[in-house]
Amino acid sequence: MKIALIIHRLSRSGAPKIMVWLAGHLAQKGHDTSLISVFDCSDPLPAPPGARLIELNVKQSKNPVVRKTLGLFAAEKRLLGALGELEPDVCLTFMDTAGLLLLLLKRFYGFKVFCSERADPDRRGALSAFLRKRLTELSDGIVFQTEGAKNRFAGRRLPAHTVIPNPVCVSPVRKQAGPGPLVWAGRFENQQKRMDVLLTAFSMVLKTFPDERLIMYGDGPDLQKTRALAQSLGIAGSVDFPGFENSLQQKLALAGVFVMSSDFEGIPNTLAEAMAAGLPCAVTDCSPGGARVL
């Protein structure tokens, strides 16, 4: 079977990591697998063995109006061109915008398009939620990560659908004995990850345990704001920002506790990996229930 997997960009974050793993798994099973990354990425994940990587490298304007109009049109045109050459039997999108818009056009091109909801569709604004749910009705099938996410689509005329949680797609390194720092890992995007909540809570912890340390791995648009918040809370000397970590499993093995403060998630990959390593975890009960599932 010819399968095309479509991702917004191959950034080093949760959804792209799972899609790379899935592409490699499908290729290993003997399917003709193509992994399409729509937008440009300065430090992309490597393609898995056996899968064809197609990088469209569409540039995104810093102007939000241009990005959501002309920029999106250019991305969709280039995506359709790539799919026209591939002629896949099945397309899978993780419900990024370019992939969702493909649902409006699939009947004209003969594509079968399946979707996967990766977080909470109601947490990106009312208009976004309405469009995502309405477009999903046009798909050939949908995969949810949790029952809570599926329940967000109650009352919609959904196609065939199922719930499949994320796998742990790395080899966990078992936690080493003894104390260690608190560890957080993810994309610095405060609207979802709520690093402000974490740092405020950590400032309270330091009043009782002044020698405790918090290490925050990753990068993202709100990294500098998070650094500034640590400074304003007077805890900058107890918080480290080492950047993105390629060998996160090794770092988790040295940690004392994994922490996560998100408002919403799908199935959090880093939480699953920390638990697989035997690491104690202190996390928020994020919508729509991914942490609770684990």
Side-chain angles (χ1 to χ4, degrees):
M1 180 180 291
K2 295 179 69 174
I3 304 173
L5 308 179
I6 302 163
I7 193 73
H8 188 72
R9 59 168 51 88
L10 281 180
S11 58
R12 296 177 181 270
S13 54
K17 181 195 293 187
I18 293 298
M19 184 164 273
V20 166
W21 174 86
L22 180 58
H25 180 76
L26 291 170
Q28 190 178 38
K29 291 292 185 181
H31 297 289
D32 183 343
T33 306
S34 297
L35 179 57
I36 303 177
S37 175
V38 178
F39 295 101
D40 66 313
C41 182
S42 59
D43 185 24
L45 288 167
R52 181 187 301 107
L53 175 61
I54 300 173
E55 295 178 284
L56 302 183
N57 287 324
V58 177
K59 303 289 184 182
Q60 284 194 296
S61 171
K62 294 182 179 180
N63 184 311
V65 175
V66 174
R67 187 168 64 245
K68 294 177 182 180
T69 54
L70 295 176
L72 196 53
F73 175 79
E76 199 69 16
K77 182 179 179 181
R78 202 172 298 182
L79 175 58
L80 287 169
L83 291 174
E85 292 180 9
L86 287 173
E87 297 183 335
D89 300 305
V90 172
C91 301
L92 172 66
T93 170
F94 275 6
M95 297 182 74
D96 300 312
T97 306
L100 278 175
L101 289 179
L102 188 62
L103 295 170
L104 291 172
L105 305 168
K106 72 183 188 73
R107 68 179 62 184
F108 301 107
Y109 288 85
F111 301 136
K112 282 191 174 181
V113 183
F114 291 79
C115 298
S116 181
E117 174 56 65
R118 310 307 296 172
D120 184 340
D122 291 336
R123 300 305 292 268
R124 295 293 188 182
L127 178 60
S128 174
F130 171 78
L131 291 174
R132 288 169 74 87
K133 293 175 182 179
R134 183 66 187 89
L135 288 171
T136 299
E137 293 180 355
L138 305 177
S139 70
D140 293 284
I142 181 168
V143 175
F144 298 101
Q145 291 184 287
T146 64
E147 290 289 338
K150 186 181 78 171
N151 292 340
R152 295 289 192 272
F153 288 74
R156 313 300 304 190
R157 295 175 296 174
L158 291 180
H161 54 278
T162 190
V163 175
I164 304 176
N166 273 359
V168 175
C169 54
V170 297
S171 298
V173 179
R174 298 300 296 178
K175 172 177 164 43
Q176 298 184 17
L182 279 66
V183 167
W184 176 97
R187 176 174 169 79
F188 282 85
E189 184 179 358
N190 199 65
Q191 180 187 8
Q192 177 182 1
K193 305 294 185 180
R194 294 308 304 270
M195 297 83 66
D196 59 334
V197 171
L198 176 60
L199 290 182
T200 301
F202 184 58
S203 69
M204 299 175 187
V205 169
L206 288 173
K207 293 176 181 178
T208 305
F209 304 98
D211 295 328
E212 190 61 77
R213 297 201 67 78
L214 170 63
I215 303 178
M216 302 183 72
Y217 293 103
D219 52 26
D222 292 331
L223 173 57
Q224 295 308 317
K225 289 182 180 178
T226 306
R227 286 179 177 272
L229 177 59
Q231 189 74 39
S232 67
L233 289 170
I235 62 173
S238 298
V239 185
D240 297 321
F241 298 91
F244 182 83
E245 176 55 57
N246 283 307
S247 303
L248 183 60
Q249 291 303 304
Q250 302 291 336
K251 302 301 182 182
L252 289 175
L254 299 173
V257 178
F258 176 79
V259 292
M260 189 186 80
S261 50
S262 300
D263 268 1
F264 59 98
E265 291 279 353
I267 295 287
N269 292 308
T270 50
L271 173 58
E273 292 166 11
M275 293 176 69
L279 189 62
C281 301
V283 305
T284 49
D285 186 13
C286 49
S287 174
R292 197 182 315 161
V293 167
L294 296 175

Short mmCIF file of all heavy atoms in Angstrom, two decimals, residues 119-122 144-153 163 287-290 292-293:
data_model
loop_
_atom_site.label_atom_id
_atom_site.label_comp_id
_atom_site.label_asym_id
_atom_site.label_seq_id
_atom_site.Cartn_x
_atom_site.Cartn_y
_atom_site.Cartn_z
N ALA A 119 -4.56 16.48 20.45
CA ALA A 119 -4.63 17.21 21.72
C ALA A 119 -6.09 17.44 22.10
O ALA A 119 -6.88 16.51 22.13
CB ALA A 119 -3.84 18.51 21.64
N ASP A 120 -6.44 18.68 22.37
CA ASP A 120 -7.81 19.04 22.73
C ASP A 120 -8.28 20.09 21.73
O ASP A 120 -7.82 21.23 21.75
CB ASP A 120 -7.85 19.61 24.16
CG ASP A 120 -9.27 19.91 24.63
OD1 ASP A 120 -10.17 20.04 23.78
OD2 ASP A 120 -9.49 20.00 25.84
N PRO A 121 -9.20 19.74 20.84
CA PRO A 121 -9.62 20.68 19.79
C PRO A 121 -10.30 21.93 20.31
O PRO A 121 -10.39 22.93 19.60
CB PRO A 121 -10.58 19.84 18.93
CG PRO A 121 -11.11 18.81 19.87
CD PRO A 121 -9.97 18.48 20.78
N ASP A 122 -10.80 21.89 21.54
CA ASP A 122 -11.52 23.04 22.09
C ASP A 122 -10.62 24.09 22.72
O ASP A 122 -11.11 25.11 23.20
CB ASP A 122 -12.54 22.56 23.14
CG ASP A 122 -13.68 21.78 22.53
OD1 ASP A 122 -13.97 21.98 21.33
OD2 ASP A 122 -14.29 20.95 23.23
N PHE A 144 -8.42 8.94 17.68
CA PHE A 144 -8.26 9.78 18.87
C PHE A 144 -7.24 9.14 19.78
O PHE A 144 -7.03 7.92 19.77
CB PHE A 144 -9.59 9.92 19.61
CG PHE A 144 -10.68 10.59 18.81
CD1 PHE A 144 -11.68 9.83 18.21
CD2 PHE A 144 -10.71 11.96 18.67
CE1 PHE A 144 -12.68 10.43 17.47
CE2 PHE A 144 -11.71 12.58 17.93
CZ PHE A 144 -12.69 11.81 17.32
N GLN A 145 -6.59 9.95 20.62
CA GLN A 145 -5.64 9.42 21.59
C GLN A 145 -6.32 9.02 22.89
O GLN A 145 -5.81 8.16 23.61
CB GLN A 145 -4.55 10.44 21.87
CG GLN A 145 -3.61 10.68 20.70
CD GLN A 145 -2.49 11.62 21.09
OE1 GLN A 145 -2.71 12.82 21.24
NE2 GLN A 145 -1.31 11.09 21.26
N THR A 146 -7.41 9.68 23.22
CA THR A 146 -8.10 9.43 24.48
C THR A 146 -9.61 9.45 24.27
O THR A 146 -10.11 10.04 23.30
CB THR A 146 -7.76 10.50 25.54
OG1 THR A 146 -8.24 11.78 25.08
CG2 THR A 146 -6.25 10.59 25.77
N GLU A 147 -10.33 8.83 25.19
CA GLU A 147 -11.79 8.90 25.17
C GLU A 147 -12.25 10.34 25.38
O GLU A 147 -13.26 10.77 24.81
CB GLU A 147 -12.37 8.01 26.26
CG GLU A 147 -12.22 6.52 26.01
CD GLU A 147 -13.10 6.02 24.88
OE1 GLU A 147 -14.11 6.69 24.57
OE2 GLU A 147 -12.78 4.96 24.31
N GLY A 148 -11.49 11.11 26.19
CA GLY A 148 -11.84 12.50 26.43
C GLY A 148 -11.82 13.32 25.16
O GLY A 148 -12.69 14.16 24.92
N ALA A 149 -10.83 13.07 24.29
CA ALA A 149 -10.76 13.79 23.02
C ALA A 149 -11.92 13.38 22.12
O ALA A 149 -12.53 14.22 21.45
CB ALA A 149 -9.42 13.50 22.33
N LYS A 150 -12.24 12.10 22.10
CA LYS A 150 -13.37 11.64 21.29
C LYS A 150 -14.66 12.29 21.76
O LYS A 150 -15.52 12.68 20.93
CB LYS A 150 -13.49 10.12 21.38
CG LYS A 150 -14.56 9.54 20.45
CD LYS A 150 -14.66 8.03 20.59
CE LYS A 150 -15.42 7.65 21.84
NZ LYS A 150 -15.72 6.20 21.88
N ASN A 151 -14.81 12.47 23.07
CA ASN A 151 -16.03 13.07 23.60
C ASN A 151 -16.20 14.53 23.20
O ASN A 151 -17.31 15.06 23.21
CB ASN A 151 -16.04 12.95 25.13
CG ASN A 151 -16.18 11.51 25.60
OD1 ASN A 151 -16.63 10.64 24.84
ND2 ASN A 151 -15.79 11.24 26.83
N ARG A 152 -15.09 15.19 22.82
CA ARG A 152 -15.18 16.57 22.35
C ARG A 152 -15.94 16.65 21.02
O ARG A 152 -16.40 17.72 20.63
CB ARG A 152 -13.79 17.17 22.16
CG ARG A 152 -12.98 17.31 23.44
CD ARG A 152 -13.55 18.41 24.33
NE ARG A 152 -12.64 18.75 25.41
CZ ARG A 152 -12.62 18.14 26.59
NH1 ARG A 152 -13.49 17.17 26.84
NH2 ARG A 152 -11.75 18.51 27.51
N PHE A 153 -16.06 15.52 20.33
CA PHE A 153 -16.74 15.47 19.04
C PHE A 153 -18.15 14.91 19.15
O PHE A 153 -18.76 14.53 18.15
CB PHE A 153 -15.92 14.63 18.06
CG PHE A 153 -14.66 15.28 17.59
CD1 PHE A 153 -13.56 15.40 18.43
CD2 PHE A 153 -14.56 15.80 16.30
CE1 PHE A 153 -12.39 16.00 18.00
CE2 PHE A 153 -13.39 16.40 15.87
CZ PHE A 153 -12.31 16.51 16.72
N VAL A 163 -9.93 4.80 19.26
CA VAL A 163 -9.01 5.43 20.21
C VAL A 163 -7.74 4.59 20.30
O VAL A 163 -7.80 3.40 20.60
CB VAL A 163 -9.65 5.55 21.61
CG1 VAL A 163 -8.64 6.10 22.62
CG2 VAL A 163 -10.89 6.44 21.57
N SER A 287 -6.33 18.52 30.17
CA SER A 287 -7.43 18.17 29.26
C SER A 287 -6.86 17.62 27.96
O SER A 287 -5.80 18.08 27.50
CB SER A 287 -8.24 19.43 28.99
OG SER A 287 -9.22 19.22 28.03
N PRO A 288 -7.48 16.64 27.30
CA PRO A 288 -8.71 15.93 27.69
C PRO A 288 -8.46 14.57 28.34
O PRO A 288 -9.12 13.59 27.99
CB PRO A 288 -9.41 15.76 26.34
CG PRO A 288 -8.28 15.55 25.38
CD PRO A 288 -7.11 16.36 25.90
N GLY A 289 -7.49 14.49 29.24
CA GLY A 289 -7.33 13.28 30.04
C GLY A 289 -6.16 12.39 29.68
O GLY A 289 -6.11 11.25 30.14
N GLY A 290 -5.19 12.91 28.92
CA GLY A 290 -4.06 12.07 28.51
C GLY A 290 -3.21 11.61 29.67
O GLY A 290 -2.80 10.46 29.76
N ARG A 292 -4.16 11.34 32.78
CA ARG A 292 -4.96 10.42 33.59
C ARG A 292 -4.97 9.02 33.01
O ARG A 292 -4.97 8.03 33.75
CB ARG A 292 -6.40 10.96 33.66
CG ARG A 292 -7.25 10.37 34.77
CD ARG A 292 -8.65 10.93 34.70
NE ARG A 292 -8.65 12.38 34.50
CZ ARG A 292 -9.71 13.03 34.06
NH1 ARG A 292 -10.83 12.41 33.74
NH2 ARG A 292 -9.65 14.35 33.92
N VAL A 293 -4.93 8.91 31.69
CA VAL A 293 -4.88 7.61 31.04
C VAL A 293 -3.61 6.86 31.44
O VAL A 293 -3.63 5.66 31.71
CB VAL A 293 -4.94 7.75 29.50
CG1 VAL A 293 -4.58 6.46 28.81
CG2 VAL A 293 -6.33 8.22 29.07
#
